[in-house]
Every structure is written in C-alpha cells, then in structure tokens.
C-alpha cells in the first residue's frame, strides 16, 4: 500500500473477471477457407449420416452399421462386432486417436483446433448462420449497437431459433448412435422414447447452443485443456501460423507518405484484415499466442491484400520457428516435406501404426466362440452310490457370431471321466456333449463330470469347445477334478 | 488490541481492525452467490426436518409430515417384490408337482425360489451346499433313503421324517440290537463284517460268513435279502458306497448296537405349499434327482434328452 503504487490517473478497476470482447469475424475467401468448408462438410456429414447407414448382419443382430448398444453391451462397427471383454479394441482406438493427435500436432501444429475440432466446426457453422442473418462484420457491429426495434428483435429471434435448431439436431443425432435410429426417431417424436434419450438431447442441445453460439473462442482460450497440452508437444519444427515481422515491419498505413518522408516501410499496410477475420479476435502480428487456433483465415485475408498491393503472398503464413529464423536471416527455408519427416514425427507414426497393425492382426485372429468354466465349490465333489466321484461345473459358452451354432463340449485329460449336461442322466454320459448355442449371446449349461474314485485328489483337465459348422473355431479352459483325499 | 477498523485504500474494503506487526486483514464481504447458497441450504435443512423424521423427542423422533420411514420403505419394497413374483408363485401353486419339470419357465423359477428357501430352512442340517454331514444326508448324490423322484421328495418334505403325532410322516424304527440285548456282541461283530463284505469294503472271511446268517435272521425284513434296502421304510442300501453314519467297522457296530433314528420336520406344517414345492424342485435339481416312475408321468418321458448317437444333445437357453 505504498504511495508509489498508486493507480495511475485513469481510475481503472481491477477485476478477476474480464468481460468478453465481442468478436465479429469478417467473411474471407481463400484456399484455407475452402479447405475448412470441405472439412466442415465432411465431418458434419459423417456425424449426422453415420447412424442412418445400414449393414446387414442377418436376422439375429441389428442392421445398423455403427451402433453402440449399451443395453446389450455390444459395439457394432460395420463388419466388426466388439464384445465387452474385447473393450481393449476401443481403448486401442482411443490411444490411436491420442497418438494421432500427437503426430498431427508435432508435424503441423494446432491443425486439429483449426479445422477438425467439433468446437471449431460448430462455431464456424454458427458464425455462418449469424452472417447469413445479420450480414458481415460491419452490419453485425451496427446491429449490436442499434437500439432494440422490430428489425433487431426479428433478426435476433431468427438467429437464435436457427442456432437452437442446429443444436437440437446435433444433440438429436448423438442418441441415434446408441439405438436403432429409425425406431428411436419414431418413438422420440411420439414421445415414448426413454427418458435418458430426451435428457441426452437436452444436455447436448444446451452445450451445443452455449459453446457454438455464445461462448465460442472462450471455450478454446479458457476451458479446453488441449491448447495447454499442445504447447508441450509443439517444438521449433512444428508448423504455426506466423506473421513474418521481419518482412512486415515497420508497418505503415500511408506507404507513399512514409516513403516521401524517407521512412522505412515493411510489407504490412496495417489494414487490420487479419485481425478482423480472426474467429478468436486476436492479432497474430503480436506473435504466436494461445488464442490462435491456426485456422489460417488470417493467411487467406493477408494473401488477398498482398495480391492487391502487388506483393508476394505469405506475409502471414504457416512456417516453423526454425524456418522463420532462417528466413529472417535471408536464408531459404527448408522444404516442408523435409520438415514433416523427422525422428519425432516418425516415432509417433511408428507407434500409431504399430498399434493399428496389432489391432488389425488380432481382429483377424480372434475366434468367435469361447468357453469359461466355473467349478462347483460347495460341495467340491459328490460320492455316488457306486463309489464314483462326481464334480459339477457351470460351463459358459460365448457365441459371438450372429447365428445359432452347434458346438461340441469335450474333455482333455482324465481318461475315465465322462460328462453329461443338465437335464440329462448319468446313463447317457459320454466324453462329449453337443449343444446348440443361441446367436450372439452367452449360454450357461450345468455339466456333470464323473470319474473313478481311485485317483489323485486333485487332477487337472480341460474342457474344450469346438464349433461344428464349417467356420469352426475352438477354445478350452483348464479346471480341476476333485476327489476325496486318500482313496 | 485496539479496534482500528478503517477503509483500506487500494481495495476500498474495510479491515477487520486487528493489526499484527503492521499486517492487517481485510474484511472482504462474502460473495453474494455464496451467501445465497448458504441461506438456501438453511431453508432446505429446515424443510427437510419438517418433511422427514428428524427431531429427537423423549421416546422417539418427530415423524415428519410426509410420513416416510425406512421401515415403511422396506415394507413397500417387500410388497413390490411379492407382487412381482405373485403370478409365478400362483402358477407353481396350480401346477401338480409331477408336471413342474415339463414347464421350463416354472421349474426354473421354482428351483431359484427353492434355493432361497433352502438357505433359510434347510442349511442348518443339510449344509449350504446340501452336501449334508454325518447323520444328515447329502442331497447331491444319487442315493435316496425314501426315494428321489420329485413327487416323493415333495411328500417327504411335506410330512417330514419320524414326526410323532403326524400320521403321514415317513416312519420306521431300527431296533437297537445291542442295547436291547437282541444280539450278542459277537453276533454284532459278525454282522458288521458281513455288511462290510457286501458293500465291497473287505473280502469275505469266517466272521462275515457267520454274519450272513445273523443278517438273514434279523435284518432282511427291512434291508432286504440282498442288502439293498427298502425305500418304503427308509432302510438304506447297505451295498453301496454311501454311508450316512460312516461305513467303517466301528461306525457300523455303533449303528447296529444303538440303532439310528434321523428326523426331519414336516415342512408342510411350517411353510406355505408353494415354498415346499419349490424346495422339492430345488433338491431334485441337485444332480441326483430321479425320474418319476413311468406310470406317474408321461411328460417326463417326453422330456427325456437321451440321444441314440454317440453324444447327448441339449438345447440351452440364452442367459
Ligand atoms: S482449443 Fe480446444 S476446443 Fe478450441 S479448437 Fe482447439 S481443441 Fe478445439
Ligand atoms: S490468428 Fe489467424 S490463424 Fe490464428 S485464430 Fe486468428 S485467424 Fe486463425
């Protein structure tokens, strides 16, 4: 509280909370803008259309191409069906997605943020709706400052209505991944869909509307962990949107006048186009910053200006930090190809590809039938009237094919042992039992095994299962046969 | 410490008025939202204690105006469960025990219900795995004193074993051959040797040969000439490997000398008919259950799963 620290003339109050400065990004056209259009179209199409694709799996499994069937704990993706115990495939996919992001980031910087992140894509969509209704930047600012009248009210109502519609459709599309889409749509409209469906749509509508319409760049700047993580993954060899200050500075508005005055001028004519088109409302000329999602719209804007004043393009450009230093010194920059292939990206790629290859390999290897056996522990054995020993087992056969299958359960080891399945009789006991297992499910059978008493008290053997159709497939599980001690 | 409240200049906030070595503390007001949250929790708490049982009084707590109690909730849940199972219990009730096995959905429910009831009423003697112990039969095996088809098990359960004052109870009485002086110790030793021989536990010798005559004179009435017993009397098969009270010489001598007299309550008098029926289904399902005599039930024959081929064929339901 010393006197020197006195706040300067302007009585500016310090706040922990800074009010958002409204951003009115200006429309721009150019190669990156077109790329963004393309990616937006592709990603949104994938998102909205995927649940409606059909895929024939026969009569015992759903015909939806991509379906996360939580109720029955199955995950369908075209010809692949994942059971809960195979969840590591999903984990593997997530790990691949993560490492893919590392790879992308170390190679081309925040490309994810700039082009493919849902936050970016939907914000972009909302911005376009806004522009369609309110007009471009200047009209938007004018409208924002205008007093409330019929026109402003009408425009605002229309805009928010369309936003809400998009939000509802976004939330709505999500639930179709979790149930048969046409059925769910019908019951959803009729009003008898499960509560969770409405709740999910409600929550996702709210988040889409809030994040895409209202919060926008604040999500990236304040909420999202990804920019922080990315900072650790980018290095001096990663591409970033850079303003080439060595070329642009000193910027000047009146170039002619400045030249007349004998002043030096750079290429930047301080037209502020790059600032006006920026969806996060920053000035890239201040250097790389966390607010920059590298959407490259400022490159498009600046390139246009440069071509108008007859200067080479790329005053703002994708460039690595190392290249920037080289170029500033007047050396030629390294070819982008060479920049992309370096140990770091290659290592990321190798890990990524190895996981993918391992998953593909194991997908090709997996059998669609398996057995697990649970031995009765109470009692562990039963002495029968003729002195033979009986053990009981609960045998679970997992038929992961979408059709009923004939299988044979057999024994490996203990030659004297014979088995029969409930409800059966000991007279019918054999070395094998045939079962018809229902499609795409786990079937539980109680199996009794009987064997001579005069043998070790604990003897290991295996139950085997073998599919009897031509696709085949088999599995086995080791268990113990118990007998009374000292016989 | 002097009260030196003053307005702190840079922040414009009042201080609390204390000072320690020149360090003062700001009396920053609580954020509005925090205060409101606090008030709301107070209101909530008051409302809660009015609606639900809360305030301790002399003998009990206040009941709460909506009349909720944990006991009431339990009753409601129990009632809901009863309502849920009522239709299947009624169906089990209406189905004769002989036909239960041919109704897959009923027999499944009956076994499950019987298992639950077994855990309450039967485990004390027969053990939680129904494996029994000395004097208490193992219900998993294929040896039955009174018969092992589902209807017979049902009868045994309803009427119990050796229940005095119950006319239909399973009843028989083995004489205490030694205690009552019917047989001399030497004769008992001989007949013990004979029983151990016919059950394949020891080779025939002089004693067992002598015992054969003792057996013929005293035991065949119940245990049959071949020693295989008589289920109508609950007389055990003496030639098999299963011994309720032990098959060694000492145990058999004990049995012959003092007799054995196992009892079981007449469950028909203690439990409702549906539960008894379900218990019968459960006991029958443990692995030793026998088929009904052919005359009693045609359905059982239809349900036979035996296959002419090399293996048995069974269809299992998805679980
Ligand atoms: S900062 Fe986060 S939310 Fe924003 S674009 Fe990047 S990943 Fe998406
Ligand atoms: S500074 Fe340029 S690249 Fe970065 S967010 Fe703004 S417009 Fe996009």
């Amino acid at each position: 509280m010393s006197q020197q620290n006195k706040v300067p003339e302007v009585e500016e109050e310090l706040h922990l909370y800074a009010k958002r400065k409204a951003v009115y990004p200006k429309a721009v056209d150019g190669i990156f803008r077109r790329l963004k259009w393309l990616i937006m179209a592709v990603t949104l199409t994938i998102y909205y259309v995927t649940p409606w694709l059909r895929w024939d799996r026969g009569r015992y499994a759903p015909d939806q191409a991509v379906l996360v069937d939580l109720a029955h704990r199955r995950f369908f993706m075209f010809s692949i069906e994942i059971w809960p115990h195979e969840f590591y495939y999903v984990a593997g996919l997530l790990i691949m997605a993560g490492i893919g992001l590392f790879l992308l980031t170390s190679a081309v910087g925040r490309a994810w943020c700039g082009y493919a992140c849902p936050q970016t894509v939907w914000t972009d969509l909302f911005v376009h709706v806004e522009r369609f209704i309110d007009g471009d930047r200047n009209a938007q600012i004018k409208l924002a400052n205008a007093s409330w009248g019929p026109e402003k009210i009408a425009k605002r109502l229309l805009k928010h209505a369309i936003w809400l519609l998009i939000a509802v459709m976004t939330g709505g599309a999500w639930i179709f991944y979790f149930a048969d889409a046409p059925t769910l749509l019908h019951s959803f409209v009729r009003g008898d869909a499960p509560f969770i469906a409405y709740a999910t749509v409600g929550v996702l509508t709210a988040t889409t509307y809030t994040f895409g319409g209202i919060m926008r760049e604040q999500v990236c700047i304040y909420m999202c962990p990804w920019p922080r993580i990315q900072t650790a993954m980018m290095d001096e060899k990663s591409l970033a949107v850079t303003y080439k200050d060595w070329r642009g500075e000193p910027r000047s508005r009146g170039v002619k006048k400045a030249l007349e005055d004998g002043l030096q001028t750079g290429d930047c004519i301080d037209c502020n186009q790059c600032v006006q088109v920026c969806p996060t409302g920053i000035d890239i000329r201040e250097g790389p910053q966390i607010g920059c999602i590298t959407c490259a719209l400022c490159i498009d804007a600046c390139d246009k200006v440069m071509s108008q004043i007859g200067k080479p393009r790329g005053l703002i450009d994708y460039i690595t930090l190392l290249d920037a230093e080289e170029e500033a010194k007047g050396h030629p920059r390294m070819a982008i190809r060479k920049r992309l292939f370096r140990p770091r990206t290659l290592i990321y790629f190798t890990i990524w590809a190895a996981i993918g290859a391992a998953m593909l390999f194991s997908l090709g290897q997996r059998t669609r039938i398996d057995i697990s056996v649970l031995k009765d522990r109470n009692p562990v054995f039963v002495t029968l009237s003729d002195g033979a020993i009986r053990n009981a087992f609960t045998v679970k056969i997992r038929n992961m094919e979408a059709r009923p299958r004939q299988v044979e359960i057999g024994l490996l080891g203990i030659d004297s042992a014979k088995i029969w399945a409930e409800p059966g009789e000991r007279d019918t006991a054999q070395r094998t039992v045939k079962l018809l297992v229902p499609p795409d499910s786990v079937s539980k059978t109680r199996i009794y095994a009987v064997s001579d008493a005069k043998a070790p008290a604990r003897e290991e053997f295996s139950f085997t299962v073998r599919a009897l159709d031509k696709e085949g497939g088999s599995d086995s599980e080791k268990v113990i046969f118990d007998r009374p001690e000292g016989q | 410490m002097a009260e030196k409240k003053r307005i702190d200049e840079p922040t414009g906030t009042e201080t609390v008025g204390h000072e320690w070595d020149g360090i003062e503390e700001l009396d920053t007001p609580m954020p509005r939202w925090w205060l409101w949250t606090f008030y709301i929790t107070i209101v909530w708490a008051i409302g809660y204690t009015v609606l639900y049982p809360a305030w301790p009084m002399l003998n009990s707590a206040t009941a709460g105006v909506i009349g909720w109690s944990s006991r009431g909730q339990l009753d409601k849940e129990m009632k809901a469960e009863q309502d849920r199972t009522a239709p299947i219990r009624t169906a089990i009730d209406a189905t004769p025990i002989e036909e239960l096995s041919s109704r897959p959905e009923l027999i499944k429910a009956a076994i499950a219900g019987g298992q639950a009831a077994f855990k309450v009423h039967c485990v004390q003697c027969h053990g939680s795995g129904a494996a029994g112990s000395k004097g208490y039969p193992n219900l998993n095996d294929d040896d039955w004193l009174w018969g092992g088809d589902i209807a017979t098990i049902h009868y045994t359960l309803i009427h119990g074993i050796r229940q005095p004052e119950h006319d239909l109870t399973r009843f028989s009485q083995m004489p205490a051959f030694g205690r009552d002086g019917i047989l001399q110790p030497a004769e008992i030793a001989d007949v013990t040797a004979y029983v151990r021989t016919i059950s394949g536990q020891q080779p025939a010798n002089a004693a067992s040969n002598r015992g054969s005559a003792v057996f013929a004179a005293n035991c065949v009435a119940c245990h049959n000439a071949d020693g295989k017993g008589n289920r109508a009397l609950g007389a055990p098969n003496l030639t098999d490997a299963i011994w309720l009270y032990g098959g060694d010489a000492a145990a058999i001598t004990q049995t012959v000398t003092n007799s054995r007299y196992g009892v079981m309550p007449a469950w028909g008098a203690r439990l409702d008919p549906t539960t008894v029926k379900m218990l019968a289904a459960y006991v029958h399902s443990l692995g030793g259950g026998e088929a009904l005599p052919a005359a009693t039930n045609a359905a059982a024959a239809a349900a036979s799963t035996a296959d002419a081929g090399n293996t048995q064929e069974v269809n299992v339901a998805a679980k």
Side-chain angles (χ1 to χ4, degrees):
Chain A
M1 326 310 148
S2 58
Q3 294 301 319
Q4 301 98 294
N5 265 6
K6 262 235 144 129
V7 195
E9 324 82 52
V10 202
E11 188 55 52
E12 215 182 320
E13 260 196 272
L14 255 177
H15 275 295
L16 288 176
Y17 174 75
K19 200 164 170 354
R20 175 187 181 227
K21 285 207 195 80
V23 181
Y24 304 97
K26 192 175 163 189
V28 63
D29 188 28
I31 143 164
F32 293 109
R33 177 65 258 181
R34 289 185 190 158
L35 182 59
K36 270 172 79 78
W37 279 122
L38 182 70
I39 292 176
M40 183 203 251
V42 171
T43 49
L44 287 181
T45 309
I46 292 177
Y47 177 68
Y48 288 114
V49 170
T50 306
W52 299 91
L53 300 178
R54 302 288 105 181
W55 188 268
D56 184 27
R57 299 189 181 87
R59 51 189 274 245
Y60 296 106
D63 66 346
Q64 185 156 319
V66 175
L67 177 66
V68 182
D69 191 347
L70 293 179
H72 303 101
R73 284 172 262 163
R74 300 280 185 280
F75 177 38
F76 297 97
M77 197 160 170
F78 299 96
S79 63
I80 300 170
E81 179 186 344
I82 305 268
W83 278 53
H85 68 287
E86 297 172 309
F87 198 75
Y88 46 77
Y89 286 118
V90 179
L93 273 184
L94 290 178
I95 293 172
M96 277 181 76
I99 293 177
L101 274 183
F102 297 175
L103 170 62
L104 202 69
T105 305
S106 67
V108 292
R110 289 178 72 175
W112 165 258
C113 293
Y115 300 90
C117 174
Q119 174 63 26
T120 299
V121 172
W122 262 276
T123 302
D124 213 15
L125 187 63
F126 276 56
V127 165
H128 283 113
V129 170
E130 189 166 53
R131 214 172 267 152
F132 180 71
I133 291 162
D134 295 351
D136 204 1
R137 178 180 159 87
N138 291 339
Q140 283 178 23
I141 296 177
K142 221 170 117 202
L143 189 66
N145 293 333
S147 53
W148 285 94
E151 192 205 341
K152 183 166 176 176
I153 293 178
K155 281 190 167 165
R156 284 289 186 262
L157 277 179
L158 183 62
K159 180 175 84 176
H160 286 278
I162 297 181
W163 279 0
L164 265 176
L165 188 74
I166 298 176
V168 169
M169 278 166 55
T170 306
W174 179 256
I175 57 172
F176 296 132
Y177 284 86
F178 298 89
D180 183 56
T183 323
L184 182 58
L185 181 61
H186 277 138
S187 62
F188 194 87
V189 175
R190 270 203 314 271
D192 54 12
F195 169 74
I196 185 78
Y198 295 102
T200 309
V201 173
V203 168
L204 290 182
T205 303
T207 50
T208 311
Y209 176 78
T210 320
F211 291 170
I214 296 165
M215 293 184 66
R216 296 189 176 174
E217 81 286 348
Q218 300 180 94
V219 172
C220 304
I221 296 176
Y222 301 115
M223 282 171 65
C224 180
W226 189 228
R228 279 86 197 159
I229 299 169
Q230 271 175 137
T231 322
M233 264 169 318
M234 288 183 66
D235 56 18
E236 66 285 359
K237 291 171 186 158
S238 316
L239 283 180
V241 172
T242 310
Y243 166 68
K244 299 175 179 169
D245 54 356
W246 64 92
R247 184 182 141 189
E249 299 296 316
R251 61 185 91 148
S252 65
R253 273 200 186 179
V255 182
K256 277 199 195 114
K257 187 169 174 294
L259 285 177
E260 275 162 18
D261 292 354
L263 293 172
Q264 263 211 321
T265 57
D267 283 354
C268 176
I269 57 166
D270 206 9
C271 64
N272 252 355
Q273 289 297 311
C274 56
V275 182
Q276 292 180 6
V277 300
C278 179
T280 71
I282 58 166
D283 185 350
I284 191 65
R285 292 173 301 175
E286 286 163 7
Q289 49 203 288
I290 201 144
C292 174
I293 59 170
T294 73
C295 65
L297 292 183
C298 53
I299 304 184
D300 278 346
C302 190
D303 282 355
K304 204 158 149 209
V305 174
M306 289 299 114
S307 80
Q308 276 162 1
I309 63 169
K311 294 266 166 64
R313 69 159 293 279
L315 174 55
I316 304 176
D317 206 358
Y318 270 120
I319 189 168
T320 68
L321 202 62
L322 267 187
D323 283 330
E325 279 166 13
E326 290 296 298
E327 215 180 282
K329 286 189 214 133
H331 304 154
R333 65 194 273 188
M334 201 187 257
I336 286 213
R337 233 177 317 109
K338 279 198 186 149
R339 278 282 176 245
L340 289 184
F341 296 103
R342 57 201 164 89
R344 186 160 169 168
T345 54
L346 289 178
I347 289 172
Y348 278 143
F349 179 78
T350 314
I351 299 176
W352 182 84
I355 296 174
M359 287 203 336
L360 276 182
F361 178 75
S362 77
L363 264 178
Q365 293 297 105
R366 61 185 189 159
T367 58
R368 304 318 281 150
I369 190 115
D370 79 25
I371 186 171
S372 66
V373 185
L374 188 71
K375 185 183 183 316
D376 264 21
R377 296 250 134 249
N378 185 13
V380 286
F381 60 82
V382 172
T383 305
L384 297 179
S385 51
D386 64 351
I389 304 299
R390 191 186 76 200
N391 281 204
F393 303 86
T394 304
V395 174
K396 283 189 183 175
I397 306 289
R398 191 151 42 187
N399 175 16
M400 290 169 273
E401 297 279 7
R403 60 195 154 86
R405 294 188 90 176
Q406 190 82 39
V407 302
E408 186 181 76
I409 296 176
L411 297 178
L412 217 63
I414 315 196
D415 296 334
S416 72
K418 288 193 170 157
I419 54 175
W420 75 95
E422 201 168 59
E425 300 282 336
R426 188 176 163 200
D427 325 335
T428 64
Q430 302 283 343
R431 287 288 286 178
T432 57
V433 173
K434 270 187 194 155
L435 297 175
L436 184 69
V437 289
D440 200 42
S441 57
V442 182
S443 62
K444 216 160 124 183
T445 317
R446 222 171 130 70
I447 291 194
Y448 294 105
V450 68
S451 161
D452 295 344
K454 307 243 174 307
R458 286 169 62 78
E459 204 172 349
E460 199 179 76
F461 73 107
S462 295
F463 272 106
T464 60
V465 64
R466 188 164 63 84
L468 294 178
D469 46 24
K470 64 177 187 306
E471 286 84 0
S474 61
D475 188 28
S476 70
E477 175 149 326
K478 274 198 188 123
V479 273
I480 299 287
F481 193 93
D482 279 295
R483 299 184 178 87
E485 302 274 348
Q487 291 264 345
Chain B
M1 233 177 294
E3 286 287 311
K4 285 190 292 182
K5 286 196 183 180
R6 63 177 189 86
I7 303 290
D8 173 60
E9 221 175 301
T11 59
T13 310
E14 205 179 12
T15 63
V16 292
H18 308 304
E19 191 222 294
W20 297 271
D21 297 340
I23 299 174
E24 288 171 284
E25 190 184 350
L26 293 182
D27 191 7
T28 311
M30 223 92 73
R32 191 67 49 84
W33 67 264
W34 192 96
L35 268 181
W36 277 113
T37 315
F38 180 57
Y39 294 144
I40 291 170
T41 57
I42 293 176
V43 173
W44 177 275
I46 292 174
Y48 190 90
T49 57
V50 171
L51 292 177
Y52 285 91
W55 298 103
M57 304 305 243
L58 274 186
N59 297 315
S60 64
T62 53
V65 297
I66 59 168
W68 180 93
S69 74
S70 53
R71 204 170 279 260
Q73 186 175 0
L74 176 69
D75 286 346
K76 225 187 262 166
E77 282 168 14
M78 295 296 280
K79 175 86 180 37
E81 179 61 15
Q82 269 161 19
D83 290 349
R84 193 182 67 79
T85 53
I88 194 123
R89 288 182 73 97
T90 320
I92 292 173
D93 217 17
T95 312
I97 186 81
E98 292 83 6
E99 284 162 30
L100 213 49
S101 307
S102 54
R103 302 273 306 272
E105 72 303 345
L106 289 189
I107 190 74
K108 209 174 145 207
I111 290 172
Q115 180 167 25
F118 192 91
K119 293 269 185 291
V120 179
H121 303 290
C122 313
V123 294
Q124 295 82 349
C125 294
H126 290 286
S128 59
S133 59
K134 187 174 172 189
Y136 303 101
N138 183 345
L139 304 174
N140 295 278
D141 63 27
D142 56 350
D143 191 33
W144 299 90
L145 289 171
W146 303 91
D149 66 77
I150 192 165
T152 311
I153 294 173
H154 190 218
Y155 183 97
T156 309
L157 274 163
I158 293 176
H159 301 294
I161 296 169
R162 300 190 182 93
Q163 290 302 301
E165 286 145 42
H166 189 86
D167 292 341
L168 295 171
T169 193
R170 302 277 190 200
F171 190 83
S172 66
Q173 193 166 16
M174 177 176 176
F177 288 98
R179 205 175 57 211
D180 293 348
I182 304 169
L183 294 177
Q184 295 312 307
E187 290 173 305
I188 292 176
D190 290 346
V191 84
T192 299
Y194 175 71
V195 167
R196 283 180 53 79
T197 305
I198 59 174
S199 59
Q201 299 188 82
Q202 68 177 45
N205 57 15
S208 72
N209 288 341
R210 286 195 305 274
S212 163
V214 181
F215 190 85
N218 295 281
C219 313
V220 292
C222 295
H223 291 286
N224 238 327
D226 57 6
K228 293 214 163 129
N230 180 353
R231 284 182 172 182
L233 297 168
N237 182 347
L238 302 177
T239 64
D240 67 13
I242 295 174
W243 295 92
L244 188 50
Y245 297 91
D248 55 284
I252 294 176
T253 308
Q254 263 285 336
T255 304
V256 177
T257 308
N258 297 316
S259 143
R260 300 289 187 185
Y261 197 81
V263 294
M264 179 172 87
W267 290 107
R270 299 188 180 201
L271 303 175
D272 62 276
T274 323
T275 305
V276 178
K277 219 179 233 180
M278 296 197 295
L279 277 172
Y282 172 65
V283 171
H284 185 259
S285 78
L286 289 172
E290 296 172 352
L292 288 159
T296 358
N297 190 16
S304 164
T305 52
D307 186 1
N310 191 29
T311 54
Q312 328 145 53
E313 212 150 328
V314 190
N315 287 352
V316 285
K319 174 68 205 179

